[in-house]
Amino acid sequence: YMYKKNKQKQKKIIIISGVIISILALVTSIYLSASQKTPEVILKDTASFINKVFMYPFTALNKDKNITQSESYLIQKNVNESLEKEIQELKDALELNKTLTEYTPVNATILSRNKSYWFNTLSIDKGSKDGLKKDMAVVTKNGLIGKINKVYTNSSEIKLITADDVNFKVSVSIKSNDQETHAILSGYDQKNNLLKVIWVDKTVNIEKNSTVVTSGLGGLFPAGIYIGTVEKIESDKYNLSKTLYIKTDQNFSNIHYVTVLKEKA
């Protein structure tokens, strides 16, 4: 009985501490930033801080409800396995830094994703204080995943290349049979986890498994960032151009760490 009572007391302390921290963060952010930032920036900066410090205790408490000792052991085992995967992801991101000589890599951790727009955007824990700017390319060890869409002081929003946005197009280069063909990456087949490359010249002979990388045209993304390989080729109904379906090594449903490519000064 005493153990249960002490446990409940600890929970109350954690909750109260979380509330106090969140209130202090909110008040401090508003006080320091009101004269220089828009309400949206103030809100995002505060939310990113709360997301790190305040939400974890509630998550921990919710997981702790109505579980037996054996169930607790299994949950801890699964948590450890998940952490090992995330640690490996972070190591991979750090290894990536050695190959990006023209840019200063900024490693970041995912803060949140909107369940209703899972393949459109995600938020990271780095922002303008880290030198990030709108339209910077964002990659993982598996290649390009998107660009910086909005920047706040302590966080940023990434628009993924899987986003349902006809205005978000990436100029790409397809290397096949010693030829280089330029086209546009735009669209995502969520069911089959395939990216779409459109407006490919119908006269060009492109083979399956050809490599697709960023072309560098337009200046939005650096040239040569890996995207994937050609999985399927289709002609449009008028036979005016081809559409390529690109297999990517990236699991867009499960991203924990990313690297933002910041141009060197």
Side-chain angles (χ1 to χ4, degrees):
Y1 174 77
M2 288 298 296
Y3 171 77
K4 186 175 181 180
K5 188 173 181 180
N6 288 335
K7 195 172 183 181
Q8 291 176 342
K9 185 176 180 180
Q10 289 174 356
K11 289 181 180 180
K12 290 180 180 178
I13 292 173
I14 292 173
I15 292 173
I16 292 171
S17 299
V19 172
I20 292 173
I21 290 172
S22 65
I23 292 173
L24 287 174
L26 180 61
V27 172
T28 302
S29 177
I30 292 173
Y31 176 76
L32 294 177
S33 308
S35 62
Q36 300 176 351
K37 302 177 183 176
T38 65
E40 182 185 15
V41 172
I42 295 171
L43 182 62
K44 283 289 183 179
D45 288 345
T46 304
S48 65
F49 181 81
I50 293 174
N51 216 19
K52 294 178 184 177
V53 181
F54 176 58
M55 293 306 292
Y56 179 78
F58 286 97
T59 304
L61 291 180
N62 289 334
K63 288 182 178 178
D64 196 42
K65 289 179 180 178
N66 301 320
I67 58 174
T68 64
Q69 188 172 3
S70 60
E71 287 173 334
S72 178
Y73 168 78
L74 291 175
I75 289 173
Q76 186 61 47
K77 183 173 180 292
N78 290 335
V79 168
N80 289 339
E81 290 176 355
S82 177
L83 287 175
E84 286 175 7
K85 291 178 183 177
E86 293 194 13
I87 289 170
Q88 186 58 49
E89 272 194 64
L90 185 57
K91 287 180 179 178
D92 291 334
L94 293 172
E95 183 68 23
L96 183 64
N97 293 353
K98 298 177 182 179
T99 65
L100 304 173
T101 57
E102 296 181 14
Y103 295 84
T104 301
V106 178
N107 293 315
T109 302
I110 305 306
L111 283 177
S112 62
R113 294 182 77 165
N114 189 322
K115 290 183 179 179
S116 300
Y117 302 96
W118 194 257
F119 292 100
N120 282 11
T121 61
L122 52 80
S123 296
I124 58 173
D125 65 346
K126 297 294 171 64
S128 59
K129 69 178 179 59
D130 306 288
L132 300 194
K133 296 179 180 178
K134 189 176 178 354
D135 291 334
M136 285 182 173
V138 184
V139 302
T140 69
K141 69 182 182 69
N142 297 310
L144 182 71
I145 67 162
K147 68 172 184 176
I148 299 293
N149 190 44
K150 294 180 181 179
V151 182
Y152 308 99
T153 304
N154 299 301
S155 64
S156 298
E157 179 186 275
I158 296 172
K159 177 168 285 190
L160 299 171
I161 56 176
T162 56
D164 183 17
D165 184 351
V166 294
N167 295 315
F168 183 24
K169 295 179 172 62
V170 182
S171 179
V172 299
S173 174
I174 306 104
K175 298 180 179 180
S176 182
N177 298 315
D178 296 325
Q179 288 186 329
E180 188 171 354
T181 303
H182 295 298
I184 298 295
L185 177 73
S186 180
Y188 178 59
D189 179 354
Q190 185 175 326
K191 181 180 179 182
N192 298 302
N193 190 30
L194 296 173
L195 297 164
K196 293 171 65 177
V197 169
I198 60 176
W199 302 344
V200 180
D201 188 340
K202 70 173 183 178
T203 64
V204 177
N205 182 27
I206 294 177
E207 295 183 349
K208 187 177 178 181
N209 296 322
S210 297
T211 301
V212 181
V213 298
T214 54
S215 70
L217 297 177
L220 184 59
F221 295 105
I225 301 177
Y226 180 79
I227 294 174
T229 57
V230 177
E231 178 74 9
K232 186 171 64 171
I233 304 168
E234 289 183 352
S235 295
D236 67 18
K237 62 181 180 179
Y238 301 110
N239 196 29
L240 297 175
S241 65
K242 296 176 182 177
T243 296
L244 310 181
Y245 290 84
I246 311 304
K247 180 181 179 182
T248 172
D249 296 331
Q250 179 65 54
N251 181 357
F252 283 91
S253 296
N254 189 25
I255 303 173
H256 298 293
Y257 301 102
V258 300
T259 299
V260 182
L261 305 185
K262 184 174 71 170
E263 290 188 22
K264 289 183 177 178

PDB file of all heavy atoms in Angstrom, residues 19-37:
ATOM      1  N   VAL A  19       4.036  21.085 -15.411  1.00  0.00           N
ATOM      2  CA  VAL A  19       3.178  22.257 -15.579  1.00  0.00           C
ATOM      3  C   VAL A  19       3.951  23.536 -15.289  1.00  0.00           C
ATOM      4  O   VAL A  19       3.870  24.526 -16.032  1.00  0.00           O
ATOM      5  CB  VAL A  19       1.945  22.159 -14.657  1.00  0.00           C
ATOM      6  CG1 VAL A  19       1.160  23.459 -14.684  1.00  0.00           C
ATOM      7  CG2 VAL A  19       1.048  21.004 -15.105  1.00  0.00           C
ATOM      8  N   ILE A  20       4.738  23.524 -14.212  1.00  0.00           N
ATOM      9  CA  ILE A  20       5.519  24.707 -13.834  1.00  0.00           C
ATOM     10  C   ILE A  20       6.528  25.046 -14.927  1.00  0.00           C
ATOM     11  O   ILE A  20       6.683  26.206 -15.332  1.00  0.00           O
ATOM     12  CB  ILE A  20       6.248  24.479 -12.492  1.00  0.00           C
ATOM     13  CG1 ILE A  20       5.220  24.391 -11.348  1.00  0.00           C
ATOM     14  CG2 ILE A  20       7.248  25.598 -12.219  1.00  0.00           C
ATOM     15  CD1 ILE A  20       5.815  23.995 -10.023  1.00  0.00           C
ATOM     16  N   ILE A  21       7.227  24.019 -15.441  1.00  0.00           N
ATOM     17  CA  ILE A  21       8.232  24.236 -16.484  1.00  0.00           C
ATOM     18  C   ILE A  21       7.597  24.819 -17.723  1.00  0.00           C
ATOM     19  O   ILE A  21       8.122  25.753 -18.343  1.00  0.00           O
ATOM     20  CB  ILE A  21       8.952  22.911 -16.815  1.00  0.00           C
ATOM     21  CG1 ILE A  21       9.839  22.496 -15.643  1.00  0.00           C
ATOM     22  CG2 ILE A  21       9.797  23.053 -18.087  1.00  0.00           C
ATOM     23  CD1 ILE A  21      10.436  21.118 -15.779  1.00  0.00           C
ATOM     24  N   SER A  22       6.455  24.258 -18.114  1.00  0.00           N
ATOM     25  CA  SER A  22       5.797  24.731 -19.339  1.00  0.00           C
ATOM     26  C   SER A  22       5.332  26.168 -19.203  1.00  0.00           C
ATOM     27  O   SER A  22       5.458  26.970 -20.133  1.00  0.00           O
ATOM     28  CB  SER A  22       4.614  23.823 -19.694  1.00  0.00           C
ATOM     29  OG  SER A  22       3.615  23.900 -18.704  1.00  0.00           O
ATOM     30  N   ILE A  23       4.809  26.515 -18.029  1.00  0.00           N
ATOM     31  CA  ILE A  23       4.345  27.885 -17.801  1.00  0.00           C
ATOM     32  C   ILE A  23       5.527  28.856 -17.831  1.00  0.00           C
ATOM     33  O   ILE A  23       5.463  29.922 -18.454  1.00  0.00           O
ATOM     34  CB  ILE A  23       3.593  27.996 -16.456  1.00  0.00           C
ATOM     35  CG1 ILE A  23       2.265  27.212 -16.531  1.00  0.00           C
ATOM     36  CG2 ILE A  23       3.328  29.451 -16.109  1.00  0.00           C
ATOM     37  CD1 ILE A  23       1.548  27.113 -15.215  1.00  0.00           C
ATOM     38  N   LEU A  24       6.624  28.482 -17.172  1.00  0.00           N
ATOM     39  CA  LEU A  24       7.814  29.328 -17.173  1.00  0.00           C
ATOM     40  C   LEU A  24       8.359  29.511 -18.581  1.00  0.00           C
ATOM     41  O   LEU A  24       8.763  30.610 -18.970  1.00  0.00           O
ATOM     42  CB  LEU A  24       8.899  28.714 -16.277  1.00  0.00           C
ATOM     43  CG  LEU A  24       8.662  28.796 -14.758  1.00  0.00           C
ATOM     44  CD1 LEU A  24       9.736  28.025 -14.012  1.00  0.00           C
ATOM     45  CD2 LEU A  24       8.637  30.256 -14.304  1.00  0.00           C
ATOM     46  N   ALA A  25       8.367  28.419 -19.345  1.00  0.00           N
ATOM     47  CA  ALA A  25       8.855  28.499 -20.731  1.00  0.00           C
ATOM     48  C   ALA A  25       7.990  29.422 -21.559  1.00  0.00           C
ATOM     49  O   ALA A  25       8.487  30.233 -22.348  1.00  0.00           O
ATOM     50  CB  ALA A  25       8.878  27.097 -21.355  1.00  0.00           C
ATOM     51  N   LEU A  26       6.692  29.303 -21.380  1.00  0.00           N
ATOM     52  CA  LEU A  26       5.767  30.129 -22.144  1.00  0.00           C
ATOM     53  C   LEU A  26       5.924  31.603 -21.798  1.00  0.00           C
ATOM     54  O   LEU A  26       6.035  32.454 -22.681  1.00  0.00           O
ATOM     55  CB  LEU A  26       4.332  29.669 -21.866  1.00  0.00           C
ATOM     56  CG  LEU A  26       3.224  30.424 -22.592  1.00  0.00           C
ATOM     57  CD1 LEU A  26       3.385  30.271 -24.097  1.00  0.00           C
ATOM     58  CD2 LEU A  26       1.856  29.936 -22.136  1.00  0.00           C
ATOM     59  N   VAL A  27       5.973  31.888 -20.515  1.00  0.00           N
ATOM     60  CA  VAL A  27       6.087  33.280 -20.073  1.00  0.00           C
ATOM     61  C   VAL A  27       7.416  33.885 -20.522  1.00  0.00           C
ATOM     62  O   VAL A  27       7.473  35.012 -21.016  1.00  0.00           O
ATOM     63  CB  VAL A  27       5.954  33.375 -18.531  1.00  0.00           C
ATOM     64  CG1 VAL A  27       6.268  34.789 -18.052  1.00  0.00           C
ATOM     65  CG2 VAL A  27       4.542  32.980 -18.109  1.00  0.00           C
ATOM     66  N   THR A  28       8.502  33.110 -20.356  1.00  0.00           N
ATOM     67  CA  THR A  28       9.832  33.602 -20.747  1.00  0.00           C
ATOM     68  C   THR A  28       9.904  33.880 -22.234  1.00  0.00           C
ATOM     69  O   THR A  28      10.429  34.899 -22.673  1.00  0.00           O
ATOM     70  CB  THR A  28      10.910  32.570 -20.361  1.00  0.00           C
ATOM     71  OG1 THR A  28      10.839  32.337 -18.962  1.00  0.00           O
ATOM     72  CG2 THR A  28      12.302  33.101 -20.722  1.00  0.00           C
ATOM     73  N   SER A  29       9.371  32.944 -23.016  1.00  0.00           N
ATOM     74  CA  SER A  29       9.405  33.105 -24.470  1.00  0.00           C
ATOM     75  C   SER A  29       8.646  34.337 -24.916  1.00  0.00           C
ATOM     76  O   SER A  29       9.111  35.107 -25.750  1.00  0.00           O
ATOM     77  CB  SER A  29       8.823  31.854 -25.146  1.00  0.00           C
ATOM     78  OG  SER A  29       8.788  32.018 -26.530  1.00  0.00           O
ATOM     79  N   ILE A  30       7.479  34.535 -24.373  1.00  0.00           N
ATOM     80  CA  ILE A  30       6.655  35.690 -24.745  1.00  0.00           C
ATOM     81  C   ILE A  30       7.331  36.990 -24.320  1.00  0.00           C
ATOM     82  O   ILE A  30       7.386  37.962 -25.073  1.00  0.00           O
ATOM     83  CB  ILE A  30       5.253  35.583 -24.112  1.00  0.00           C
ATOM     84  CG1 ILE A  30       4.491  34.411 -24.751  1.00  0.00           C
ATOM     85  CG2 ILE A  30       4.471  36.869 -24.290  1.00  0.00           C
ATOM     86  CD1 ILE A  30       3.168  34.130 -24.086  1.00  0.00           C
ATOM     87  N   TYR A  31       7.906  36.978 -23.114  1.00  0.00           N
ATOM     88  CA  TYR A  31       8.543  38.193 -22.590  1.00  0.00           C
ATOM     89  C   TYR A  31       9.755  38.597 -23.425  1.00  0.00           C
ATOM     90  O   TYR A  31       9.955  39.768 -23.747  1.00  0.00           O
ATOM     91  CB  TYR A  31       8.972  37.953 -21.142  1.00  0.00           C
ATOM     92  CG  TYR A  31       9.734  39.123 -20.556  1.00  0.00           C
ATOM     93  CD1 TYR A  31       9.060  40.287 -20.162  1.00  0.00           C
ATOM     94  CD2 TYR A  31      11.118  39.058 -20.405  1.00  0.00           C
ATOM     95  CE1 TYR A  31       9.764  41.360 -19.629  1.00  0.00           C
ATOM     96  CE2 TYR A  31      11.818  40.126 -19.871  1.00  0.00           C
ATOM     97  CZ  TYR A  31      11.136  41.277 -19.481  1.00  0.00           C
ATOM     98  OH  TYR A  31      11.825  42.331 -18.963  1.00  0.00           O
ATOM     99  N   LEU A  32      10.582  37.620 -23.783  1.00  0.00           N
ATOM    100  CA  LEU A  32      11.813  37.905 -24.509  1.00  0.00           C
ATOM    101  C   LEU A  32      11.585  38.169 -25.986  1.00  0.00           C
ATOM    102  O   LEU A  32      12.375  38.845 -26.638  1.00  0.00           O
ATOM    103  CB  LEU A  32      12.791  36.731 -24.361  1.00  0.00           C
ATOM    104  CG  LEU A  32      13.347  36.472 -22.959  1.00  0.00           C
ATOM    105  CD1 LEU A  32      14.226  35.235 -22.969  1.00  0.00           C
ATOM    106  CD2 LEU A  32      14.146  37.683 -22.459  1.00  0.00           C
ATOM    107  N   SER A  33      10.491  37.649 -26.526  1.00  0.00           N
ATOM    108  CA  SER A  33      10.342  37.654 -27.976  1.00  0.00           C
ATOM    109  C   SER A  33       9.231  38.533 -28.524  1.00  0.00           C
ATOM    110  O   SER A  33       9.159  38.740 -29.724  1.00  0.00           O
ATOM    111  CB  SER A  33      10.088  36.213 -28.453  1.00  0.00           C
ATOM    112  OG  SER A  33      11.063  35.343 -27.942  1.00  0.00           O
ATOM    113  N   ALA A  34       8.373  39.011 -27.693  1.00  0.00           N
ATOM    114  CA  ALA A  34       7.167  39.693 -28.165  1.00  0.00           C
ATOM    115  C   ALA A  34       7.467  40.865 -29.074  1.00  0.00           C
ATOM    116  O   ALA A  34       6.768  41.116 -30.047  1.00  0.00           O
ATOM    117  CB  ALA A  34       6.334  40.166 -26.965  1.00  0.00           C
ATOM    118  N   SER A  35       8.538  41.570 -28.785  1.00  0.00           N
ATOM    119  CA  SER A  35       8.833  42.771 -29.561  1.00  0.00           C
ATOM    120  C   SER A  35       9.508  42.477 -30.883  1.00  0.00           C
ATOM    121  O   SER A  35       9.596  43.338 -31.741  1.00  0.00           O
ATOM    122  CB  SER A  35       9.737  43.707 -28.736  1.00  0.00           C
ATOM    123  OG  SER A  35      10.961  43.067 -28.456  1.00  0.00           O
ATOM    124  N   GLN A  36      10.004  41.229 -31.074  1.00  0.00           N
ATOM    125  CA  GLN A  36      10.794  40.918 -32.253  1.00  0.00           C
ATOM    126  C   GLN A  36      10.166  39.847 -33.143  1.00  0.00           C
ATOM    127  O   GLN A  36      10.565  39.700 -34.289  1.00  0.00           O
ATOM    128  CB  GLN A  36      12.189  40.444 -31.834  1.00  0.00           C
ATOM    129  CG  GLN A  36      12.938  41.501 -31.026  1.00  0.00           C
ATOM    130  CD  GLN A  36      14.281  40.975 -30.543  1.00  0.00           C
ATOM    131  OE1 GLN A  36      14.574  39.803 -30.668  1.00  0.00           O
ATOM    132  NE2 GLN A  36      15.091  41.848 -29.984  1.00  0.00           N
ATOM    133  N   LYS A  37       9.217  39.082 -32.651  1.00  0.00           N
ATOM    134  CA  LYS A  37       8.718  37.926 -33.388  1.00  0.00           C
ATOM    135  C   LYS A  37       7.209  37.972 -33.566  1.00  0.00           C
ATOM    136  O   LYS A  37       6.498  38.603 -32.788  1.00  0.00           O
ATOM    137  CB  LYS A  37       9.103  36.632 -32.653  1.00  0.00           C
ATOM    138  CG  LYS A  37      10.590  36.471 -32.458  1.00  0.00           C
ATOM    139  CD  LYS A  37      10.890  35.210 -31.668  1.00  0.00           C
ATOM    140  CE  LYS A  37      12.370  35.066 -31.389  1.00  0.00           C
ATOM    141  NZ  LYS A  37      12.666  33.903 -30.551  1.00  0.00           N
TER     142      LYS A  37
END
